[in-house]
Amino acid sequence: AALRETAHDGRAQALEDVLLQADVGLKTAQALVARAGAADDPVEAIRRELRALLGEPSEWTFPTRPGPLVVMIVGVTGSGKTTTIGKLARRWTNEGKRVLIGAADTFRAAATEQVAVWAERAGADLVRAGEGADPGAVAYDATSAGVARGMDVVLIDTAGRLQTARPLMDELSKVRRAMNKARSGAPDEVWLVLDGTVGQNAISQALAFHEATALTGVIVTKLDGTAKGGAVVAVAHQTGLPIRWLGLGERAEDLRPFDRDAFVDAILG
Amino acid sequence: VVSRGFRSARLALQGKAELTDAALEPALREVRASLLEADVGVSVVADFLERVRVRSLGEIVPIKGPGGTDLRVTPQDWFIKACYDELVELMGPSGRALRLDGKPTVILLVGLQGSGKTTTAGKLARWLASQGRKPLLVAADVHRPAAADQLVVLGRRIQVPVFSIKGMNALQLATMGVAQARNVGRDVVIIDTAGRLAIDGPLMEEVRSIRNAVDPHETLFVTDAMIGQDAVATAAEFDRQLDFTGFVMTKLDGDARGGAALSIKAVTGKPILFLGQGESLDKLEAFRPEGLAQRILG
Ligand SMILES: Nc1nc2c(ncn2[C@@H]2O[C@H](COP(=O)(O)OP(=O)(O)OP(=O)(O)O)[C@@H](O)[C@H]2O)c(=O)[nH]1
Ligand SMILES: Nc1nc2c(ncn2[C@@H]2O[C@H](COP(=O)(O)OP(=O)(O)OP(=O)(O)O)[C@@H](O)[C@H]2O)c(=O)[nH]1
Ligand SMILES: [Mg+2]
Ligand SMILES: [Mg+2]
């Protein structure tokens, strides 16, 4: 009974619970309910507020300037980076683009074998090195090859790492610099892959990865399950980063451009 | 009202306070915020706090030391201590030993995509080998590209054999793997399976059929420490379909609070057996409740 004080009545508490269960987080949920609680239609008010927190949708289109577009994929262990690279590669080869994947995860067991399967599935070139090779060197080689071969896209896969591992975050900055050496201005995009089932740790991940590699966007995976991915709302709001893609399964075609309004509707059930 | 004021004044003179609803209110809210921030399930938080509130209500606690010295302990501090004790009790006891009396013992690993099953399989194999057991790893993930390669590499690192045959389905691999262990005298079989969603009918059917066929001594649900509210529904569904015997929480070397551990224990009643504390195969610890209770409570 004491806890009801955070919400003005049973209906407000129910709204807060729906938001909390979607991983929106307590501070955000309380702010949303407080602002919308007095409205005639609180659900609609919250819907509008959630959309606002996620920012104006900015459609990402393939750049028209001369390539290659260099994309670096980063994120914590197991979030879905390698699979997402396979999906992006497939999408872009389907669009007639020439794609090259750089297997710069030289650390994890069979990481290169895994991305090699995806490169084959997508019809993409692959640049790889032996296990234990320097990831910066692979990223450099892949970026250079992308330029030399006139590719349209270079996708760089990196090893998963927890944002609290300082030396690994420093390594990521180093890999980024190597890409820039291979082609000035690279990488054009640095996308953080967030596991859709993640809770409040998403914010810590986004802030740390943003600090280490100046992110340009976010990809949220595994939203084909029961998780709602609500932690992404605070991520978008606090970083101002756009959400670019959603991963909705384990097959090459299970990738969709982020649809803000549909995402918000799913949170509100 | 007069008598209540009288009572609290008298208690104050004795350096004591009563844990009333009013006294507990701010502490309840603070702990609720902390647990939710730690990703403990909403309903689990509500049940947990109600439990501790009811237990604490009416308790008389010392807030001043003998001779009126200030203990610097408030009624709220007492409540938080009660929460910690309750958390330790709820999540405990310490990780019980694995059931290893089979010929061979069969351990089946299950869980969502990317939760750390394959790595945990390697860790368990290393753990058991260092205890003088003869483990056999079975690569029964036929879905993820290079999943078998990954397990083979791990097995090589710790000199544990890996049973992996291209072209077999998951059920065949699991059953033949157990048969193989019997044939060559390996006494523990650790079966790695593909990540899957609890709502994926065909894949849940696949892992149910494996469980029915090999009758594991342990079915371990492997979960990532950073999972949020989804842990409640997912663990409940995995448990409903597979009746797992315990769970493992991985990636605790990060700063995720790991509140899902409380959710899963509360919702399924199944014990936490191991904690994954890093990517290398030596980073596995037997579960002890105190550390995780502190981490979750914040
Ligand atoms: N259901 C579902 N599973 C996914 C999705 N994206 C990736 N996965 C699965 O998640 C698991 C991990 O994916 P990976 O691509 O290996 O993840 P990663 O981030 O590269 O992992 P590390 O390199 O080890 O850090 C695999 O089993 C994938 O099939 C998704 O959108 N939905
Ligand atoms: N930091 C850290 N990383 C871990 C831990 N356990 C596993 N990982 C990493 O997390 C990623 C996923 O681990 P996997 O063992 O491939 O996970 P999985 O459950 O087998 O994945 P799927 O088979 O795709 O479902 C890998 O990069 C592992 O090295 C841990 O305790 N700490
Ligand atoms: Mg990967
Ligand atoms: Mg695996």
Side-chain angles (χ1 to χ4, degrees):
Chain A
L3 303 183
R4 298 296 140 120
E5 228 191 281
T6 58
H8 313 299
D9 55 67
R11 193 179 59 166
Q13 181 66 57
L15 276 173
E16 186 184 275
D17 281 358
V18 165
L19 293 170
L20 287 174
Q21 280 167 348
D23 284 315
V24 161
L26 184 62
K27 286 199 181 65
T28 306
Q30 284 177 332
L32 287 169
V33 172
R35 283 208 289 275
D40 290 333
D41 188 342
V43 176
E44 277 322 297
I46 288 178
R47 193 184 310 272
R48 279 198 305 279
E49 294 271 356
L50 279 170
R51 289 179 184 174
L53 288 172
L54 284 164
E56 272 311 300
S58 61
E59 205 212 330
W60 184 86
T61 49
F62 213 94
T64 45
R65 65 172 182 276
L69 170 79
V70 181
V71 181
M72 183 183 188
I73 299 292
V74 302
V76 302
T77 46
S79 63
K81 299 177 290 302
T82 304
T83 307
T84 299
I85 282 176
K87 294 173 182 177
L88 286 168
R90 171 70 149 273
R91 167 176 278 259
W92 289 331
T93 55
N94 281 352
E95 290 174 4
K97 310 242 185 303
R98 301 188 56 220
V99 180
L100 184 147
I101 297 174
D105 177 356
T106 56
F107 171 75
R108 207 211 67 211
T112 304
E113 285 82 341
Q114 183 187 6
V115 78
V117 172
W118 279 109
E120 165 129 21
R121 284 179 185 178
D125 283 15
L126 183 74
V127 165
R128 53 190 291 178
E131 190 182 318
D134 176 52
V138 180
Y140 181 96
D141 290 347
T143 305
S144 305
V147 174
R149 298 181 205 176
M151 308 302 282
D152 298 307
V153 196
V154 174
L155 276 159
I156 303 292
D157 189 16
T158 61
R161 65 206 67 221
L162 299 190
Q163 71 276 21
T164 45
R166 182 77 255 166
L168 298 184
M169 297 306 282
D170 290 344
E171 176 188 83
L172 210 55
S173 309
K174 191 162 143 297
V175 169
R176 190 205 163 96
R177 283 196 298 276
M179 293 161 73
N180 191 43
K181 281 209 189 73
R183 200 215 73 198
S184 170
D188 302 295
E189 301 284 356
V190 183
W191 289 336
L192 171 71
V193 176
L194 281 177
D195 186 321
T197 66
V198 71
Q200 297 311 298
N201 196 251
I203 293 120
S204 160
Q205 292 178 26
L207 293 176
F209 275 90
H210 198 21
E211 209 223 329
T213 69
L215 301 171
T216 62
V218 175
I219 300 173
V220 189
T221 61
K222 310 181 196 174
L223 288 179
D224 44 315
T226 44
K228 298 285 177 69
V232 153
V233 173
V235 166
H237 183 60
Q238 288 192 33
T239 63
L241 289 167
I243 301 166
R244 289 302 184 205
W245 308 96
L246 296 186
L248 295 159
E250 300 186 73
R251 302 167 312 169
E253 52 267 39
D254 294 329
L255 184 79
R256 250 184 255 165
F258 181 61
D259 177 337
R260 185 193 63 169
D261 294 2
F263 183 78
V264 169
D265 291 346
I267 285 179
L268 292 175
Chain B
V1 170
V2 170
S3 72
R4 170 178 286 180
F6 219 59
R7 174 183 166 78
S8 71
R10 193 196 66 204
L11 284 172
L13 279 177
Q14 300 170 359
K16 299 198 179 79
E18 180 184 4
L19 296 185
T20 60
D21 259 324
L24 291 179
E25 164 71 45
L28 263 172
R29 258 192 282 137
E30 183 187 335
V31 174
R32 176 177 187 254
S34 190
L35 293 178
L36 287 172
E37 206 172 283
D39 295 322
V40 181
V42 176
S43 58
V44 176
V45 173
D47 292 346
F48 174 81
L49 288 177
E50 183 60 9
R51 240 173 115 114
V52 190
R53 187 186 73 85
V54 163
R55 257 184 48 179
S56 310
L57 203 57
E59 277 213 17
I60 310 292
V61 298
I63 55 172
K64 281 201 180 343
T69 57
D70 206 346
L71 267 186
R72 300 226 180 106
V73 172
T74 65
Q76 289 72 35
D77 293 328
W78 279 102
F79 179 75
I80 291 174
K81 167 103 179 45
C83 286
Y84 172 79
D85 292 341
E86 182 71 13
L87 266 179
V88 170
E89 188 178 331
L90 264 182
M91 294 211 296
S94 294
R96 62 163 173 78
L98 289 170
R99 294 172 192 143
L100 294 175
D101 51 349
K103 288 188 174 26
T105 293
V106 179
I107 300 175
L108 178 65
L109 298 181
V110 302
L112 291 174
Q113 290 87 351
S115 62
K117 297 173 294 300
T118 304
T119 308
T120 300
K123 290 175 178 180
L124 281 172
R126 182 184 180 284
W127 172 279
L128 291 165
S130 73
Q131 292 179 351
R133 304 278 171 170
K134 302 203 232 69
L136 174 71
L137 285 162
V138 175
D141 176 354
V142 299
H143 300 287
R144 168 173 154 155
D149 295 324
Q150 184 184 2
L151 196 62
V152 166
V153 170
L154 296 185
R156 202 173 291 140
R157 283 182 192 166
I158 52 174
Q159 290 114 38
V160 169
V162 180
F163 182 81
S164 168
I165 301 189
K166 297 235 186 305
M168 276 192 179
N169 67 35
L171 178 59
Q172 291 166 333
L173 284 160
T175 48
M176 299 218 53
V178 175
Q180 171 78 351
R182 236 178 242 119
N183 291 342
V184 303
R186 308 302 291 179
D187 58 12
V188 191
V189 181
I190 301 164
I191 305 175
D192 181 28
T193 65
R196 67 202 68 223
L197 300 175
I199 55 169
D200 185 327
L203 280 188
M204 289 305 286
E205 159 67 20
E206 175 195 84
V207 76
R208 272 201 321 274
S209 69
I210 291 177
R211 196 181 192 299
N212 294 338
V214 303
D215 192 18
H217 301 77
E218 299 282 1
T219 299
L220 304 183
F221 177 67
V222 179
T223 184
D224 191 320
M226 60 188 90
I227 190 171
Q229 296 290 316
D230 192 51
V232 174
T234 291
E237 187 57 18
F238 265 87
D239 194 40
R240 193 180 73 78
Q241 295 212 32
L242 299 174
D243 187 19
F244 54 80
T245 57
F247 65 103
V248 179
M249 178 164 272
T250 66
K251 309 184 197 174
L252 281 162
D253 45 316
D255 63 2
R257 298 271 293 281
L262 175 61
S263 303
I264 298 171
K265 179 87 206 302
V267 163
T268 67
K270 302 298 166 70
I272 307 168
L273 297 188
F274 292 100
L275 304 179
Q277 300 274 11
E279 290 192 79
S280 56
L281 298 183
D282 57 342
K283 298 287 193 292
L284 187 72
E285 289 176 15
F287 172 65
R288 290 186 49 246
E290 291 80 5
L292 201 44
Q294 186 58 57
R295 179 178 183 137
I296 292 174
L297 197 54

